[in-house]
């Protein structure tokens, strides 16, 4: 019986151009994204501009340039600015709507199972993630958090791919300890629930 082929981390990330960028296979693109993101973060932090303010000002500037260009071209008998006709097809909108519908329904279904107590492990995981998000959000603002997540996205995966064997060894040890802790917590909760139920029956 042949051994199963091990799926690479590049394939787990989709195996496409996005995975190439995240894993630094296209170094110039990755470096450009990181440099551009860091520059925009510095601009926002130093100028104290909000994202909505900056976007509206940039759009206003572009609209003014194209408007003046078109008027001047008409007066000087020059060709107007070449602007492609932009539109979103119905097929793209239907695909996006179907994708969102599927994901939202999946999240709602999982949330219902957690709320009804059917997924104890998932409940602890979701609770831990929500607590971690609330804790991190209390320490920083949204933009800084977004840029930090971007920096993590471009560092952790490539480090994981490089040191995969070592990291997986420690992850297995951590997972074993977490599962042992979960079993103890579940056993204690069950014992307390049984104790409360026994006392209610006696009374």
């Amino acid at each position: 019986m042949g051994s199963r082929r091990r799926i690479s981390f590049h394939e787990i990330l989709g195996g496409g151009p996005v995975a190439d960028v995240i894993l630094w296979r296209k170094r110039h693109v990755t470096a450009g994204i990181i440099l551009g993101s860091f520059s925009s973060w510095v601009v926002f932090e130093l100028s104290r501009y909000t994202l909505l303010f900056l976007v509206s000002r940039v759009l206003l500037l572009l609209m003014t340039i194209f408007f003046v260009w078109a008027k001047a071209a008409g007066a000087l008998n020059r060709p107007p600015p070449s602007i492609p006709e932009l539109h979103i097809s119905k097929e793209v909108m239907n695909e996006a709507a179907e994708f969102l519908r599927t994901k939202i329904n999946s999240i709602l279904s999982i949330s219902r199972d957690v709320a009804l107590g059917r997924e104890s492990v998932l409940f602890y995981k979701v609770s831990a993630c929500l607590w971690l998000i609330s804790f991190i959000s209390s320490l920083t603002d949204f933009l800084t958090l977004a840029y930090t997540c971007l920096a993590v996205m471009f560092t952790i995966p490539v480090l994981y791919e490089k040191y995969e064997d070592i990291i997986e060894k420690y992850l297995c040890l951590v997972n074993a300890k977490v599962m042992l802790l979960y079993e103890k917590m579940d056993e204690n909760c069950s014992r307390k629930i049984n104790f409360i139920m026994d006392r209610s029956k006696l009374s």
Side-chain angles (χ1 to χ4, degrees), residues 70-195:
K71 289 295 184 181
L76 299 174
N77 292 323
R78 297 283 185 176
S82 177
I83 302 176
E85 183 178 351
L86 302 175
H87 68 279
I88 300 177
S89 65
K90 186 177 180 180
E91 291 75 14
V92 172
M93 286 299 299
N94 289 337
E95 289 178 4
E98 180 63 23
F99 175 79
L100 287 175
R101 187 188 69 82
T102 303
K103 293 299 180 182
I104 292 174
N105 285 339
S106 177
I107 292 173
L108 292 175
S109 177
I110 293 174
S111 301
R112 183 174 183 274
D113 289 341
V114 171
L116 293 176
R118 297 174 182 171
E119 296 285 347
S120 300
V121 178
L122 187 58
F123 168 75
Y124 292 123
K125 289 181 180 179
V126 172
S127 300
C129 289
L130 291 176
W131 178 86
L132 184 61
I133 291 172
S134 64
F135 175 74
I136 294 175
S137 63
S138 67
L139 301 177
T140 183
D141 59 284
F142 177 75
L143 280 177
T144 303
L145 179 61
Y147 293 130
T148 303
C149 292
L150 187 67
V152 169
M153 184 179 70
F154 285 119
T155 53
I156 299 300
V158 69
L159 289 175
Y160 178 81
E161 187 185 42
K162 188 174 182 180
Y163 304 104
E164 185 175 355
D165 294 334
I166 299 174
I167 294 174
E168 283 192 352
K169 177 183 176 182
Y170 286 103
L171 285 178
C172 288
L173 292 175
V174 171
N175 183 60
K177 291 184 178 180
V178 169
M179 291 304 297
L180 184 62
L181 179 62
Y182 162 74
E183 290 176 0
K184 289 183 178 179
M185 290 176 59
D186 192 46
E187 184 180 350
N188 291 334
C189 289
S190 299
R191 189 180 303 145
K192 289 180 180 179
I193 292 173
N194 292 332
F195 177 75

Side-chain angles (χ1 to χ4, degrees), residues 59-73 80-84:
L59 290 177
L60 177 61
L61 178 62
L62 289 176
M63 291 288 290
T64 305
I65 291 173
F66 283 118
F67 180 80
V68 173
W69 185 358
K71 289 295 184 181
S82 177
I83 302 176

Side-chain angles (χ1 to χ4, degrees), residues 10 14 16 18 20 25 27 31 34 38 40 45 47 53 81 96 114 122 128 136 146 148 154 182 187 196:
H10 183 265
V18 175
D20 291 336
R25 304 279 174 88
R27 295 180 180 274
I34 293 176
F38 178 74
S40 63
E45 287 296 315
S47 64
F53 176 85
V114 171
L122 187 58
I136 294 175
T148 303
F154 285 119
Y182 162 74
E187 184 180 350
I196 294 172

